[in-house]
Amino acid sequence: MKESTTIGLFGNPNSGKSSLFNLLTGLNQRTGNFPGVTVDKKKGKFLTPEKRSIELIDFPGTYSLFPNSSDERLVIDILTQPSLKDYPEGIIYVADASQLERHLLLATQIMDLKIPMIFCLNMSDLVANVGQLEKKVASLLSIPAISISSRKNENIDKLKVHLDGLLNQPEKYIRSASFYPISDSDLSVIRPEENESPYLKKLILHHSEWLSHISENNKRKFNQQAAGWNNIASQIDETLNRCLTIESHLGLNPDQASSNSPITEKIDRVITHRFWGPLIFFVLMAFVFQSIYAWSEAPMGWIESGFSWLGEMVAMITPDNWFRSLLVDGVIAGLGGVLVFIPQITILFLIITILEEIGYMSRAVFMFDGIMRKFGLNGRSIVSLVSSGACAIPAIMAARTITNQKERLITIMVSPLISCSARIPVYTVLVGFVVAPVKVWGIFNSQGLAFMGLYLLGIVGSLVAALFFKKILKSTGRSHLMMELPIYRPPLWKNVVFQIKEKVGTFIIEA
């Protein structure tokens, strides 16, 4: 008998899904990888009011069950394997209440897989007439819909009560009729097994070429079975049908849009401006590097002094032999040489996480997409290149969100050329030896400027290398960028703390 019930947390990117995950699970969470892939899998546990143990899995943000990235493919791969260990017994679907029409597409697709679902209208504090909207969504989906705010911790207890209801009476959380009725022509091809969702069979047939759990023999059978079936036309027809139904049923008016959207639009006119946008970005990056160099100096000194003192203490109480050398010169010195970078890693991820939380990093991706393409990269490559300032490994992992194989490969190959934190000691020695510590224009530290110059050299080198790879690598896939620009909002500091804890913890344990 299972000790806990597996519940999946699904939603579009920027829906507040991770904030809800942190709110529900608190410190009782862990990070691993989905089987066979290097995509993060966050799991956490919590108790419902009826003392049921819930194991919550935070799945990657997804726009549709017709994937545009490797993360989205992972979600579909799992949802088409009902026998899988991590297959959710129920779903909490998180949608941004201020962007509801876009966020409902994926929800209706998952609903047709006949998995019990609780629909959450997140960020309800930013929407007018949320009660009326809640009733419309519940009527449209024929399942319970509740308004919550993961930022303000509103109605989270109500969500937990609904989880008990889902476990007690799952049939109330499953829409009896399919949201998108599959046509007779599709059914003639699909031929679902007994007790199998027709939509599940359609997804398997549609994506059989790349699904990991489909054997080569079955792939050939599916190809023969689907001979003459227009896959693309079926996908387009389904997507349009779902979107038109959602739009006509909800009939959202401007009063239900986010109250902050006009402010967001005004800020975006400056932040994403062709001239001012890149200038603001480089000023922010200069601030990041100045902070890494200036703010980390004192804590780095404390760590170095601490390990030096520890080495001296161990040397005093142990005899002068190979074992003392192993402890003092090997273990303690080695650990000190790695852990001394914790201040730089912490400061870098602190600033990047805050920029992500307030919604700026999405604008950076959008803003640099055109420029990055000239070098054979993608707007999302900017996230990897900035992350390389801490370590190339998480930067390479971040490249998985780039859909085009050529652009993803180029991003992976040039990311290590960006100066990472492991080079900081070398840069520190060189800058301290060559550059005098004087003020420039009364506010900048000359050593910090030289330090940034070395990083800029790495950036220029990576772009030149990317341009070279663009000329020699070939790709048949089409490149595109699809993402949602969230409204600007204050950072949720609990999310910032969890992100830094996870990143720094990974560095400490795995470095």
Side-chain angles (χ1 to χ4, degrees):
M1 183 177 177
K2 290 182 67 174
E3 294 181 358
S4 57
T5 302
T6 301
I7 299 293
L9 195 59
F10 289 84
N12 286 192
N14 301 313
S15 62
K17 183 168 56 67
S18 296
S19 298
L20 180 60
F21 177 83
N22 291 334
L23 197 60
L24 287 171
T25 61
L27 296 174
N28 190 19
Q29 56 181 253
R30 63 189 186 279
T31 303
N33 286 334
F34 285 100
V37 290
T38 54
V39 178
D40 285 348
K41 174 173 65 175
K42 287 186 177 181
K43 282 187 173 183
K45 288 190 175 183
F46 66 96
L47 295 176
T48 67
E50 295 183 11
K51 305 303 178 185
R52 287 186 171 93
S53 176
I54 300 294
E55 182 169 60
L56 190 65
I57 302 179
D58 185 11
F59 284 85
T62 311
Y63 289 108
S64 166
L65 293 188
F66 300 113
N68 288 300
S69 70
S70 55
D71 282 13
E72 291 183 332
R73 283 193 171 196
L74 168 70
V75 172
I76 297 157
D77 205 38
I78 292 173
L79 286 178
T80 52
Q81 297 184 69
S83 60
L84 198 67
K85 179 184 176 183
D86 283 336
Y87 193 82
E89 300 169 55
I91 285 175
I92 298 174
Y93 189 90
V94 185
D96 182 347
S98 64
Q99 309 287 341
L100 197 52
E101 290 189 15
R102 288 199 298 270
H103 287 232
L104 271 165
L105 172 62
L106 175 64
T108 65
Q109 290 176 320
I110 296 177
M111 284 181 64
D112 284 351
L113 295 175
K114 304 303 179 185
I115 308 172
M117 177 192 289
I118 301 171
F119 190 91
C120 297
L121 288 87
N122 196 20
M123 308 180 197
S124 57
D125 53 306
L126 302 177
V127 177
N129 301 323
V130 69
Q132 180 185 354
L133 191 60
E134 189 178 305
K135 291 178 182 177
K136 283 187 175 183
V137 172
S139 172
L140 170 68
L141 303 180
S142 300
I143 61 169
I146 59 172
S147 56
I148 65 169
S149 174
S150 56
R151 302 182 67 83
K152 295 190 174 182
N153 197 6
E154 292 178 356
N155 284 345
I156 305 303
D157 290 337
K158 185 178 178 180
L159 170 59
K160 292 180 180 180
V161 170
H162 271 282
L163 272 173
D164 278 320
L166 182 147
L167 298 177
N168 291 330
Q169 295 178 299
E171 65 278 1
K172 289 188 175 181
Y173 294 81
I174 299 176
R175 182 186 171 95
S176 55
S178 296
F179 190 90
Y180 170 71
I182 297 177
S183 66
D184 292 338
S185 59
D186 283 350
L187 278 172
S188 65
V189 176
I190 292 168
R191 294 196 299 272
E193 303 292 337
E194 188 177 357
N195 298 324
E196 186 180 65
S197 161
Y199 191 64
L200 171 62
K201 187 66 177 290
K202 180 184 177 181
L203 282 179
I204 293 174
L205 188 65
H206 193 99
H207 302 303
S208 59
E209 289 186 2
W210 57 263
L211 288 173
S212 65
H213 56 92
I214 305 296
S215 66
E216 290 301 321
N217 285 335
N218 283 334
K219 285 180 182 179
R220 285 192 290 270
K221 290 179 182 178
F222 280 128
N223 287 335
Q224 293 171 1
Q225 182 179 335
W229 184 47
N230 194 326
N231 211 342
I232 300 299
S234 176
Q235 173 184 335
I236 294 172
D237 179 72
E238 177 190 331
T239 304
L240 288 176
N241 187 294
R242 290 180 186 275
C243 290
L244 287 173
T245 304
I246 291 167
E247 184 179 349
S248 62
H249 189 94
L250 291 182
L252 297 179
N253 57 58
D255 291 337
Q256 291 170 315
S258 167
S259 59
N260 286 354
S261 58
I263 299 175
T264 294
E265 290 173 6
K266 289 178 182 178
I267 296 174
D268 277 347
R269 290 193 191 103
V270 178
I271 293 294
T272 61
H273 189 272
R274 182 168 294 182
F275 173 76
W276 296 111
L279 183 62
I280 291 170
F281 176 81
F282 286 115
V283 168
L284 282 173
M285 291 303 103
F287 169 74
V288 170
F289 294 123
Q290 285 283 317
S291 302
I292 290 174
Y293 190 83
W295 298 353
S296 65
E297 188 174 354
M300 284 181 70
W302 300 336
I303 294 173
E304 287 178 337
S305 300
F307 276 96
S308 176
W309 174 84
L310 181 61
E312 292 173 0
M313 292 297 101
V314 172
M316 289 175 57
I317 61 177
T318 55
D320 187 6
N321 53 30
W322 66 269
F323 184 67
R324 183 173 79 175
S325 179
L326 173 65
L327 289 178
V328 176
D329 302 324
V331 176
I332 295 175
L335 283 174
V338 173
L339 299 183
V340 74
F341 298 126
I342 288 178
Q344 284 98 346
I345 296 285
T346 303
I347 292 169
L348 179 64
F349 280 117
L350 170 66
I351 298 174
I352 289 178
T353 303
I354 291 174
L355 292 175
E356 288 178 346
E357 278 284 308
I358 65 177
Y360 177 77
M361 289 306 291
S362 297
R363 271 76 183 179
V365 170
F366 164 75
M367 187 168 48
F368 283 98
D369 184 58
I371 299 173
M372 293 288 104
R373 288 183 190 280
K374 294 179 181 179
F375 293 93
L377 299 170
N378 181 283
R380 296 184 187 275
S381 301
I382 198 72
V383 177
S384 291
L385 297 181
V386 171
S387 298
S388 293
C391 181
I393 294 173
I396 290 171
M397 291 176 65
R400 67 176 183 261
T401 59
I402 301 172
T403 56
N404 182 272
Q405 185 177 6
K406 176 181 176 180
E407 293 170 346
R408 184 167 63 248
L409 184 59
I410 294 176
T411 303
I412 289 170
M413 290 192 291
V414 304
S415 289
L417 298 178
I418 303 292
S419 299
C420 69
S421 59
R423 301 175 198 177
I424 288 177
V426 179
Y427 288 175
T428 302
V429 172
L430 288 175
V431 170
F433 180 73
V434 175
V435 181
V438 297
K439 291 287 184 181
V440 178
W441 299 327
I443 55 174
F444 294 111
N445 183 299
S446 61
Q447 292 180 325
L449 292 175
F451 194 79
M452 182 181 175
L454 291 171
Y455 271 88
L456 288 175
L457 185 63
I459 294 170
V460 172
S462 66
L463 293 178
V464 171
L467 194 60
F468 171 76
F469 287 127
K470 177 186 177 182
K471 301 295 183 184
I472 64 173
L473 294 178
K474 304 299 178 184
S475 174
T476 56
R478 295 181 62 185
S479 173
H480 62 275
L481 177 69
M482 184 179 75
M483 65 182 304
E484 181 180 329
L485 300 181
I487 63 170
Y488 291 105
R489 58 175 67 92
L492 191 60
W493 293 108
K494 182 180 287 187
N495 282 356
V496 174
V497 171
F498 275 117
Q499 283 284 344
I500 295 174
K501 172 180 171 291
E502 179 185 331
K503 300 296 184 183
V504 175
T506 301
F507 173 78
I508 293 172
I509 294 170
E510 297 181 5

